[in-house]
Amino acid sequence: MEEGMSSMQQKAAELEHMAEVLLTGEQLRLRLHEEKVIKDRRHHLKTYPNCFVAKELIDWLIDHKEASDRETAIKLVQKLLDHSIIHHVCDEHKEFKDVKLFYRFRKDDGTFPLDNEVKVFMRGQRLYEKLMSSENTLLQAREEEGVKYERTFVASEFIEWLVQEGEAATRGEAEQLGRRLLEHGIIQHVSNKHHFMDSNLLYQCRMNFRRRRRLMELLTEKSRLVPESHDSPFCLRKQNHDNRKHTSFLSVSPTKEIKIVSAVRRSSMSSCGSSGYFSSSPTLSSSPPVLCNPKSVLKRPVTADELLMPGAPYVRKTFTIVGDAVGWGFVVRGSKPCHIQAVDPSGPAAAAGMKV
């Protein structure tokens, strides 16, 4: 039994690494759009939409300290090419080269391959966001075999929730979905002793889809062994003995630098996705390709005086952003864009790339 679980955990770690590469690539894609590294380009009287120049990307990676040298940067981007996240615009080069060649993210031209593994991660991310919503009470601190764990869910309650949410038609179908999520490293038994089953056993989310990925992680091939990896970037491990209530993800080392990128620019295509925004939590979803570059939602510059002027068509709201062991972050949802009036230059928002 233990040998079977170990083999399954090894397979889950391999699939988990694949998901990490996908998420890392998606976060990079959003940043490159935001900083106009990705844009329409012309060569020999032909326009190539939403592409980047290989040499310019290498420069950008070094300038933003995502790579220490050009050789390392090439290896990092080659990982994305090997996983079919990017490709040469004419598919003529299988190796990434530090020259003036055009490459493009497959998500920007609709050629990203959606195999069964990717579909499981897409579904897992959707369920993760639902579980993490403030309205959901499924995740709670519970005990199993005398050990208390943070943010756990009971398998039988999770199955019932999946049926209620329309994610599965029957309990049996929901149980099979739970098993796939565990096999792909998205959820786990709190002590990694059991597969997923319709029972009173406790499980946790193993993968933190919202975590900011560093490109250098692409060169780390070693599989993560789940037991006792207290410095893991994944959330939800044993509860600390001092029972501090202000930490949400107790397994994350306070010294680990994890930042969340927030982008609040609207695509100039009204049909791009359901809301037209780049999500602050990049998804693996098969959204339509971005056919044109993101542009500012403001038709003209707006000053702070105009925003505060009595009778101005703006609504002033104050938000309190709560920090935890993971970092600081927030999501703004609605039908209107938001205006960022000020960003502390020495704060985590500025470090993550947020601008006025």
Side-chain angles (χ1 to χ4, degrees):
M1 180 64 180
E2 291 183 0
E3 183 178 349
M5 287 298 296
S6 175
S7 175
M8 183 177 64
Q9 290 175 17
Q10 187 69 27
K11 179 63 175 177
E14 295 173 0
L15 292 172
E16 169 197 313
H17 177 74
M18 182 189 75
E20 288 294 319
V21 176
L22 298 180
L23 288 166
T24 303
E26 178 62 5
Q27 290 180 355
L28 175 64
R29 184 183 75 90
L30 295 179
R31 292 175 67 191
L32 295 180
H33 269 293
E34 182 71 14
E35 300 200 18
K36 302 296 190 294
V37 178
I38 294 177
K39 58 185 178 181
D40 298 349
R41 302 175 186 273
R42 289 181 63 82
H43 181 67
H44 290 169
L45 303 179
K46 183 176 180 180
T47 299
Y48 296 88
N50 293 297
C51 61
F52 60 87
V53 180
K55 190 175 186 302
E56 292 181 6
L57 177 60
I58 298 298
D59 294 336
W60 186 91
L61 292 175
I62 294 177
D63 290 343
H64 288 74
K65 295 180 172 53
E66 292 289 351
S68 58
D69 52 67
R70 305 190 78 82
E71 182 180 355
T72 301
I74 292 172
K75 291 180 180 179
L76 291 172
V77 184
Q78 183 65 42
K79 285 286 184 180
L80 301 179
L81 195 148
D82 292 341
H83 285 79
S84 295
I85 295 173
I86 66 171
H87 67 123
H88 180 254
V89 291
C90 299
D91 291 315
E92 294 178 353
H93 300 274
K94 300 301 181 184
E95 293 185 1
F96 190 79
K97 302 177 181 178
D98 187 4
V99 294
K100 292 184 178 180
L101 287 175
F102 291 171
Y103 290 83
R104 183 187 294 127
F105 280 81
R106 289 190 177 274
K107 194 170 181 181
D108 282 339
D109 60 15
T111 62
F112 185 75
L114 290 176
D115 57 21
N116 290 332
E117 309 297 351
V118 174
K119 289 178 180 178
V120 173
F121 286 115
M122 287 166 50
R123 195 168 187 184
Q125 184 173 22
R126 186 175 72 248
L127 294 173
Y128 176 89
E129 294 297 338
K130 282 185 177 182
L131 284 172
M132 292 300 169
S133 67
S134 58
E135 298 84 6
N136 195 300
T137 59
L138 206 63
L139 300 180
Q140 296 181 19
R142 298 181 176 89
E143 287 189 14
E144 184 171 292
E145 296 182 352
V147 180
K148 193 167 186 178
Y149 299 87
E150 283 290 320
R151 290 196 176 188
T152 67
F153 57 86
V154 181
S156 58
E157 294 179 3
F158 181 62
I159 286 175
E160 184 177 348
W161 178 78
L162 288 173
V163 175
Q164 290 176 350
E165 290 290 318
E167 295 289 344
T170 64
R171 295 187 68 88
E173 183 179 324
E175 184 179 23
Q176 288 301 315
L177 173 57
R179 295 178 72 86
R180 288 198 298 274
L181 294 176
L182 188 143
E183 290 166 359
H184 284 71
I186 298 172
I187 65 173
Q188 64 185 23
H189 177 251
V190 290
S191 59
N192 294 293
K193 294 180 179 178
H194 302 280
H195 206 311
F196 186 83
M197 61 187 73
D198 191 348
S199 64
N200 291 325
L201 293 173
L202 299 184
Y203 295 83
Q204 300 170 317
C205 293
R206 167 174 166 162
M207 181 173 290
N208 183 357
F209 285 94
R210 296 177 179 178
R211 180 179 69 87
R212 164 75 181 276
R213 272 76 178 169
R214 302 289 298 180
L215 280 175
M216 287 300 296
E217 295 176 33
L218 296 178
L219 299 182
T220 305
E221 293 285 359
K222 64 178 182 178
S223 301
R224 299 183 184 89
L225 297 179
V226 183
E228 303 306 323
S229 57
H230 296 291
D231 62 340
S232 169
F234 304 115
C235 50
L236 318 177
R237 300 297 299 169
K238 296 179 182 179
Q239 188 181 52
N240 285 357
H241 294 297
D242 58 2
N243 292 322
R244 288 173 296 179
K245 296 182 179 179
H246 64 278
T247 54
S248 300
F249 301 95
L250 298 178
S251 70
V252 181
S253 170
T255 60
K256 187 177 287 295
E257 182 183 9
I258 301 177
K259 303 186 184 73
I260 299 175
V261 175
S262 178
V264 285
R265 290 178 180 267
R266 185 191 296 251
S267 167
S268 54
M269 247 191 92
S270 60
S271 62
C272 179
S274 58
S275 64
Y277 288 93
F278 285 136
S279 169
S280 60
S281 178
T283 67
L284 301 176
S285 62
S286 56
S287 59
V290 180
L291 299 181
C292 41
N293 296 325
K295 294 181 174 60
S296 173
V297 299
L298 295 176
K299 295 182 179 179
R300 64 176 179 81
V302 180
T303 65
D305 291 336
E306 287 181 88
L307 290 171
L308 300 174
M309 185 182 300
Y314 305 105
V315 178
R316 181 174 181 175
K317 293 184 178 181
T318 301
F319 298 90
T320 299
I321 302 172
V322 181
D324 59 17
V326 175
W328 293 263
F330 61 95
V331 176
V332 177
R333 290 189 175 91
S335 59
K336 299 295 195 306
C338 66
H339 179 85
I340 302 174
Q341 182 175 332
V343 177
D344 182 1
S346 61
M354 183 173 288
K355 302 175 182 178
V356 174

Coordinates of all heavy atoms in Angstrom, one line a residue, residues 232-305:
S232 N 7.7 24.3 1.8 CA 7.0 24.2 0.5 C 6.3 25.5 0.2 O 5.7 26.1 1.0 CB 6.1 23.0 0.5 OG 5.2 23.0 -0.6
P233 N 6.2 25.9 -1.1 CA 5.4 27.0 -1.5 C 4.0 26.7 -1.5 O 3.1 27.6 -1.7 CB 5.9 27.3 -2.9 CG 6.4 26.0 -3.4 CD 7.0 25.3 -2.3
F234 N 3.6 25.4 -1.4 CA 2.2 25.1 -1.3 C 1.6 25.4 0.0 O 2.3 25.3 1.0 CB 2.0 23.6 -1.7 CG 2.6 23.2 -3.0 CD1 3.7 22.3 -3.1 CD2 2.1 23.8 -4.2 CE1 4.2 22.0 -4.3 CE2 2.7 23.5 -5.4 CZ 3.8 22.6 -5.4
C235 N 0.3 25.6 0.0 CA -0.3 26.0 1.3 C -0.8 24.8 2.1 O -0.7 23.7 1.6 CB -1.5 26.9 1.0 SG -2.6 26.2 -0.3
L236 N -1.3 25.1 3.3 CA -2.0 24.1 4.0 C -1.3 22.9 4.6 O -1.3 21.8 4.1 CB -3.2 23.6 3.2 CG -3.9 24.6 2.4 CD1 -5.0 24.0 1.5 CD2 -4.5 25.7 3.2
R237 N -0.5 23.2 5.6 CA 0.2 22.1 6.3 C -0.3 22.0 7.8 O -1.3 22.6 8.1 CB 1.7 22.3 6.3 CG 2.3 22.3 4.9 CD 2.0 21.0 4.1 NE 2.7 19.9 4.7 CZ 2.4 18.7 4.4 NH1 1.6 18.4 3.4 NH2 3.0 17.7 5.0
K238 N 0.5 21.5 8.7 CA 0.1 21.4 10.1 C 0.0 22.7 10.7 O 0.7 23.7 10.3 CB 1.1 20.5 10.8 CG 1.1 19.1 10.4 CD 2.2 18.3 11.2 CE 2.3 16.8 10.7 NZ 3.3 16.1 11.4
Q239 N -0.9 22.9 11.7 CA -1.1 24.1 12.4 C 0.1 24.3 13.3 O 0.5 23.4 14.0 CB -2.4 24.2 13.1 CG -2.7 25.5 13.7 CD -4.0 25.5 14.5 OE1 -4.2 24.6 15.4 NE2 -4.9 26.4 14.2
N240 N 0.6 25.5 13.4 CA 1.7 25.8 14.4 C 1.2 25.7 15.8 O 0.1 25.9 16.1 CB 2.2 27.3 14.1 CG 3.0 27.4 12.9 OD1 3.3 26.4 12.2 ND2 3.5 28.6 12.6
H241 N 2.1 25.4 16.7 CA 1.8 25.1 18.1 C 1.3 26.4 18.8 O 0.6 26.3 19.8 CB 3.0 24.5 18.8 CG 3.4 23.2 18.3 ND1 2.5 22.1 18.4 CD2 4.5 22.7 17.7 CE1 3.1 21.0 17.9 NE2 4.3 21.4 17.4
D242 N 1.8 27.6 18.3 CA 1.4 28.8 19.0 C 0.0 29.3 18.6 O -0.5 30.3 19.1 CB 2.4 29.9 18.9 CG 2.6 30.2 17.4 OD1 2.0 29.6 16.6 OD2 3.5 31.1 17.1
N243 N -0.6 28.5 17.7 CA -2.0 28.8 17.2 C -2.2 30.3 16.8 O -3.2 30.9 17.1 CB -3.0 28.5 18.4 CG -3.1 27.0 18.6 OD1 -3.1 26.2 17.7 ND2 -3.2 26.6 19.9
R244 N -1.2 30.8 16.1 CA -1.4 32.2 15.6 C -2.5 32.2 14.6 O -2.4 31.5 13.6 CB -0.1 32.7 15.0 CG 1.0 33.0 16.1 CD 2.3 33.3 15.4 NE 2.8 32.2 14.7 CZ 3.9 32.2 14.0 NH1 4.7 33.3 13.9 NH2 4.4 31.1 13.3
K245 N -3.4 33.1 14.8 CA -4.6 33.1 13.9 C -4.5 34.1 12.7 O -5.3 34.1 11.9 CB -5.9 33.5 14.7 CG -6.2 32.5 15.8 CD -7.4 33.0 16.6 CE -7.8 31.9 17.7 NZ -9.0 32.3 18.4
H246 N -3.4 34.8 12.7 CA -3.3 35.8 11.6 C -2.7 35.3 10.4 O -2.6 35.9 9.4 CB -2.5 37.0 12.1 CG -1.1 36.7 12.4 ND1 -0.7 36.2 13.7 CD2 0.1 36.9 11.7 CE1 0.6 36.0 13.7 NE2 1.1 36.4 12.6
T247 N -2.1 34.0 10.4 CA -1.5 33.5 9.2 C -2.5 32.5 8.6 O -3.1 31.6 9.2 CB -0.2 32.7 9.6 OG1 -0.6 31.7 10.6 CG2 0.8 33.6 10.1
S248 N -2.6 32.7 7.2 CA -3.5 31.8 6.5 C -2.9 30.6 5.9 O -3.5 29.6 5.8 CB -4.2 32.7 5.4 OG -4.9 33.8 5.9
F249 N -1.6 30.8 5.5 CA -0.9 29.7 4.9 C 0.4 29.4 5.8 O 1.4 29.9 5.5 CB -0.4 30.0 3.5 CG -1.6 30.4 2.6 CD1 -2.0 31.7 2.4 CD2 -2.3 29.4 1.9 CE1 -3.0 32.0 1.6 CE2 -3.4 29.7 1.1 CZ -3.7 31.0 0.9
L250 N 0.2 28.6 6.8 CA 1.2 28.4 7.8 C 2.5 27.7 7.4 O 3.4 27.7 8.1 CB 0.6 27.7 9.0 CG -0.6 28.5 9.7 CD1 -1.1 27.7 10.8 CD2 -0.1 29.8 10.2
S251 N 2.4 27.1 6.2 CA 3.6 26.3 5.8 C 4.6 27.2 5.1 O 5.7 26.8 4.9 CB 3.2 25.2 4.8 OG 2.8 25.7 3.6
V252 N 4.2 28.4 4.7 CA 5.1 29.2 3.9 C 6.1 29.9 4.8 O 5.7 30.5 5.8 CB 4.4 30.2 3.1 CG1 5.3 31.1 2.3 CG2 3.4 29.5 2.1
S253 N 7.4 29.7 4.5 CA 8.4 30.4 5.3 C 8.3 31.9 5.2 O 8.2 32.4 4.1 CB 9.8 29.9 4.8 OG 10.8 30.7 5.5
P254 N 8.3 32.6 6.3 CA 8.1 34.1 6.3 C 9.2 34.7 5.5 O 9.1 35.9 5.1 CB 8.2 34.5 7.8 CG 7.8 33.2 8.5 CD 8.4 32.1 7.7
T255 N 10.4 34.1 5.3 CA 11.5 34.7 4.6 C 11.4 34.5 3.1 O 12.1 35.0 2.3 CB 12.8 34.1 5.1 OG1 12.8 32.7 4.8 CG2 13.0 34.4 6.5
K256 N 10.4 33.6 2.7 CA 10.3 33.3 1.3 C 9.6 34.5 0.6 O 8.6 35.0 1.0 CB 9.5 32.1 1.0 CG 9.4 31.6 -0.4 CD 8.6 30.4 -0.6 CE 9.4 29.2 0.0 NZ 10.6 28.9 -0.8
E257 N 10.2 35.0 -0.5 CA 9.7 36.2 -1.2 C 8.7 35.7 -2.2 O 9.0 35.1 -3.2 CB 10.9 36.9 -1.9 CG 10.4 38.2 -2.6 CD 11.5 38.9 -3.3 OE1 12.6 38.3 -3.4 OE2 11.3 40.0 -3.8
I258 N 7.4 36.0 -1.9 CA 6.4 35.6 -2.8 C 5.5 36.9 -3.1 O 5.0 37.5 -2.2 CB 5.5 34.5 -2.3 CG1 6.3 33.3 -2.0 CG2 4.4 34.2 -3.2 CD1 5.6 32.2 -1.3
K259 N 5.5 37.3 -4.3 CA 4.7 38.5 -4.7 C 3.6 38.1 -5.6 O 3.7 37.2 -6.4 CB 5.6 39.5 -5.3 CG 6.8 39.9 -4.5 CD 7.5 41.1 -5.1 CE 8.8 41.4 -4.3 NZ 9.8 40.4 -4.5
I260 N 2.5 38.9 -5.6 CA 1.4 38.7 -6.5 C 1.3 39.8 -7.5 O 1.3 41.0 -7.1 CB 0.1 38.6 -5.7 CG1 0.2 37.5 -4.7 CG2 -1.1 38.5 -6.6 CD1 -1.0 37.4 -3.8
V261 N 1.3 39.5 -8.8 CA 1.2 40.5 -9.8 C -0.3 40.9 -10.0 O -1.1 40.0 -10.2 CB 1.8 40.0 -11.1 CG1 1.6 41.0 -12.2 CG2 3.3 39.7 -10.9
S262 N -0.6 42.1 -10.0 CA -2.0 42.6 -10.3 C -2.0 43.4 -11.5 O -1.2 44.4 -11.6 CB -2.5 43.3 -9.1 OG -3.8 43.8 -9.4
A263 N -2.8 43.1 -12.5 CA -2.9 43.9 -13.7 C -4.3 44.3 -13.9 O -5.2 43.5 -13.9 CB -2.4 43.1 -14.9
V264 N -4.5 45.6 -14.1 CA -5.9 46.0 -14.3 C -6.0 46.8 -15.5 O -6.5 48.0 -15.6 CB -6.3 46.9 -13.1 CG1 -6.6 46.1 -11.8 CG2 -5.3 48.0 -12.7
R265 N -5.6 46.2 -16.6 CA -5.8 46.8 -17.9 C -6.8 46.0 -18.7 O -6.7 44.8 -18.7 CB -4.4 46.9 -18.7 CG -3.4 47.9 -18.1 CD -2.2 47.8 -18.9 NE -1.2 48.7 -18.4 CZ -1.0 50.0 -18.8 NH1 -1.8 50.4 -19.8 NH2 -0.1 50.8 -18.3
R266 N -7.6 46.7 -19.5 CA -8.6 46.0 -20.3 C -8.0 45.8 -21.7 O -7.4 46.6 -22.3 CB -9.8 46.8 -20.4 CG -11.0 46.1 -21.1 CD -12.1 47.1 -21.3 NE -12.7 47.6 -20.1 CZ -13.9 47.3 -19.7 NH1 -14.6 46.5 -20.3 NH2 -14.3 47.8 -18.5
S267 N -8.3 44.6 -22.3 CA -7.9 44.4 -23.6 C -8.8 45.2 -24.5 O -9.9 45.5 -24.2 CB -8.1 42.9 -24.0 OG -8.1 42.7 -25.4
S268 N -8.3 45.7 -25.7 CA -9.1 46.5 -26.6 C -10.1 45.7 -27.3 O -10.8 46.2 -28.1 CB -8.1 47.2 -27.6 OG -7.3 46.3 -28.2
M269 N -10.0 44.4 -27.2 CA -11.1 43.5 -27.8 C -12.2 43.2 -26.8 O -11.9 42.7 -25.7 CB -10.5 42.2 -28.2 CG -10.4 41.9 -29.7 SD -10.0 40.3 -30.0 CE -11.6 39.5 -30.1
S270 N -13.4 43.6 -27.0 CA -14.5 43.4 -26.1 C -14.8 41.9 -25.9 O -15.4 41.6 -24.9 CB -15.7 44.1 -26.6 OG -16.1 43.6 -27.8
S271 N -14.4 41.1 -26.8 CA -14.8 39.7 -26.6 C -13.7 38.9 -26.0 O -13.7 37.6 -26.0 CB -15.1 39.1 -28.0 OG -13.9 39.2 -28.8
C272 N -12.6 39.5 -25.5 CA -11.5 38.8 -24.9 C -11.9 38.3 -23.5 O -11.8 39.0 -22.5 CB -10.3 39.6 -24.8 SG -8.9 38.8 -24.1
G273 N -12.2 37.0 -23.4 CA -12.6 36.5 -22.1 C -14.0 37.0 -21.6 O -14.7 37.7 -22.3
S274 N -14.4 36.6 -20.4 CA -15.7 36.9 -20.0 C -15.8 38.3 -19.5 O -16.9 38.9 -19.6 CB -16.1 35.9 -18.8 OG -15.2 36.0 -17.8
S275 N -14.8 38.9 -18.9 CA -14.8 40.2 -18.4 C -14.0 41.2 -19.1 O -14.1 42.4 -19.0 CB -14.4 40.2 -16.9 OG -13.1 39.8 -16.8
G276 N -13.1 40.8 -20.0 CA -12.2 41.7 -20.7 C -11.0 42.1 -20.0 O -10.3 43.0 -20.4
Y277 N -10.7 41.5 -18.8 CA -9.6 41.9 -18.0 C -8.6 40.8 -18.0 O -8.9 39.7 -18.1 CB -10.0 42.2 -16.5 CG -10.8 43.5 -16.4 CD1 -12.2 43.5 -16.4 CD2 -10.1 44.7 -16.2 CE1 -12.9 44.6 -16.2 CE2 -10.8 45.9 -16.0 CZ -12.2 45.8 -16.0 OH -12.9 47.0 -15.9
F278 N -7.3 41.2 -17.8 CA -6.3 40.3 -17.5 C -6.5 39.9 -16.0 O -6.5 40.8 -15.2 CB -4.9 40.8 -17.7 CG -4.5 40.9 -19.2 CD1 -3.9 42.0 -19.7 CD2 -4.7 39.9 -20.0 CE1 -3.5 42.1 -21.0 CE2 -4.4 39.9 -21.3 CZ -3.8 41.0 -21.8
S279 N -6.6 38.7 -15.7 CA -6.8 38.3 -14.3 C -5.6 38.5 -13.5 O -4.5 38.3 -13.9 CB -7.2 36.8 -14.2 OG -7.2 36.4 -12.9
S280 N -5.8 38.9 -12.2 CA -4.6 39.1 -11.3 C -4.2 37.7 -10.9 O -3.1 37.6 -10.3 CB -5.0 39.9 -10.1 OG -6.1 39.3 -9.4
S281 N -5.0 36.7 -11.1 CA -4.6 35.3 -10.8 C -4.6 34.6 -12.1 O -5.6 34.1 -12.6 CB -5.6 34.7 -9.8 OG -5.2 33.3 -9.6
P282 N -3.4 34.6 -12.8 CA -3.4 34.0 -14.2 C -4.0 32.6 -14.2 O -3.7 31.8 -13.4 CB -1.9 34.0 -14.5 CG -1.3 35.1 -13.6 CD -2.2 35.0 -12.4
T283 N -4.8 32.3 -15.2 CA -5.4 31.0 -15.4 C -4.8 30.2 -16.5 O -4.2 30.8 -17.4 CB -6.9 31.2 -15.6 OG1 -7.1 31.8 -16.9 CG2 -7.5 32.1 -14.5
L284 N -5.1 28.9 -16.5 CA -4.7 28.1 -17.6 C -5.9 27.9 -18.6 O -5.9 27.0 -19.4 CB -4.3 26.7 -17.0 CG -3.2 26.7 -16.0 CD1 -3.0 25.3 -15.5 CD2 -1.9 27.2 -16.6
S285 N -6.9 28.7 -18.4 CA -8.1 28.5 -19.2 C -7.9 28.7 -20.7 O -7.0 29.4 -21.1 CB -9.2 29.4 -18.8 OG -8.9 30.7 -18.9
S286 N -8.7 28.1 -21.5 CA -8.6 28.2 -23.0 C -9.4 29.5 -23.5 O -10.3 29.4 -24.2 CB -9.2 27.0 -23.6 OG -10.5 26.8 -23.2
S287 N -9.0 30.6 -23.0 CA -9.6 31.9 -23.4 C -9.2 32.2 -24.8 O -8.2 31.8 -25.3 CB -9.2 33.0 -22.4 OG -7.8 33.2 -22.5
P288 N -10.1 33.0 -25.5 CA -9.7 33.4 -26.9 C -8.4 34.0 -27.0 O -8.0 34.7 -26.0 CB -10.9 34.3 -27.3 CG -12.0 34.0 -26.3 CD -11.3 33.6 -25.1
P289 N -7.7 33.9 -28.1 CA -6.4 34.6 -28.2 C -6.5 36.1 -28.2 O -7.5 36.6 -28.6 CB -5.8 34.1 -29.6 CG -7.1 33.7 -30.3 CD -8.0 33.1 -29.3
V290 N -5.5 36.8 -27.7 CA -5.5 38.2 -27.7 C -5.1 38.7 -29.0 O -3.9 38.5 -29.4 CB -4.5 38.7 -26.6 CG1 -4.5 40.3 -26.6 CG2 -4.9 38.2 -25.2
L291 N -5.9 39.3 -29.8 CA -5.6 39.7 -31.1 C -5.0 41.0 -31.3 O -4.6 41.4 -32.3 CB -6.9 39.6 -32.0 CG -7.6 38.2 -32.0 CD1 -8.8 38.3 -32.9 CD2 -6.6 37.2 -32.5
C292 N -5.0 41.8 -30.2 CA -4.4 43.1 -30.2 C -3.8 43.4 -28.9 O -4.2 42.8 -27.9 CB -5.3 44.2 -30.7 SG -7.0 44.0 -30.0
N293 N -2.9 44.4 -28.8 CA -2.2 44.6 -27.6 C -3.1 45.3 -26.6 O -3.9 46.1 -26.9 CB -1.0 45.6 -27.9 CG 0.0 44.9 -28.8 OD1 0.2 43.7 -28.7 ND2 0.6 45.6 -29.7
P294 N -2.8 45.1 -25.3 CA -3.6 45.7 -24.2 C -3.4 47.2 -24.2 O -2.2 47.6 -24.4 CB -3.1 45.1 -22.9 CG -2.3 43.9 -23.3 CD -1.9 44.1 -24.7
K295 N -4.4 48.0 -24.0 CA -4.3 49.4 -24.0 C -4.9 49.9 -22.7 O -5.7 49.3 -22.1 CB -5.0 50.1 -25.2 CG -4.3 49.7 -26.5 CD -5.0 50.4 -27.7 CE -4.2 50.2 -29.0 NZ -4.1 48.8 -29.3
S296 N -4.6 51.1 -22.3 CA -5.1 51.7 -21.1 C -6.6 51.9 -21.3 O -7.1 52.2 -22.3 CB -4.5 53.1 -20.8 OG -5.1 53.7 -19.8
V297 N -7.4 51.7 -20.1 CA -8.8 51.9 -20.2 C -9.2 53.4 -20.1 O -10.3 53.7 -20.3 CB -9.5 51.1 -19.0 CG1 -9.2 49.7 -19.1 CG2 -9.0 51.6 -17.7
L298 N -8.2 54.2 -19.7 CA -8.5 55.7 -19.6 C -8.4 56.3 -21.0 O -7.4 56.2 -21.7 CB -7.5 56.3 -18.6 CG -7.6 55.9 -17.2 CD1 -6.5 56.5 -16.4 CD2 -8.9 56.2 -16.6
K299 N -9.4 57.0 -21.4 CA -9.4 57.7 -22.6 C -8.5 58.9 -22.6 O -8.1 59.4 -23.6 CB -10.9 58.1 -23.0 CG -11.8 56.9 -23.2 CD -13.2 57.4 -23.6 CE -14.1 56.2 -23.9 NZ -15.5 56.6 -24.2
R300 N -8.3 59.5 -21.4 CA -7.4 60.6 -21.3 C -6.8 60.6 -19.8 O -7.4 59.9 -19.0 CB -8.1 61.9 -21.5 CG -9.2 62.2 -20.5 CD -9.8 63.6 -20.7 NE -10.9 63.8 -19.8 CZ -10.7 64.3 -18.5 NH1 -9.4 64.5 -18.1 NH2 -11.7 64.5 -17.7
P301 N -5.7 61.2 -19.6 CA -5.2 61.2 -18.2 C -6.1 61.9 -17.2 O -6.7 62.9 -17.6 CB -3.8 62.0 -18.4 CG -3.5 61.9 -19.8 CD -4.8 61.8 -20.6
V302 N -6.2 61.3 -16.1 CA -7.1 61.9 -15.0 C -6.3 62.2 -13.8 O -5.5 61.4 -13.3 CB -8.2 60.9 -14.6 CG1 -9.1 61.5 -13.5 CG2 -9.0 60.5 -15.8
T303 N -6.4 63.5 -13.3 CA -5.6 63.9 -12.2 C -6.3 63.5 -10.9 O -7.5 63.3 -10.9 CB -5.3 65.4 -12.2 OG1 -6.6 66.1 -12.1 CG2 -4.7 65.8 -13.6
A304 N -5.5 63.6 -9.8 CA -6.1 63.3 -8.5 C -7.1 64.4 -8.1 O -8.1 64.1 -7.5 CB -5.0 63.3 -7.4
D305 N -6.9 65.6 -8.5 CA -7.9 66.7 -8.2 C -9.2 66.4 -8.9 O -10.3 66.6 -8.3 CB -7.3 68.0 -8.7 CG -6.1 68.5 -7.9 OD1 -6.0 68.0 -6.7 OD2 -5.3 69.3 -8.4

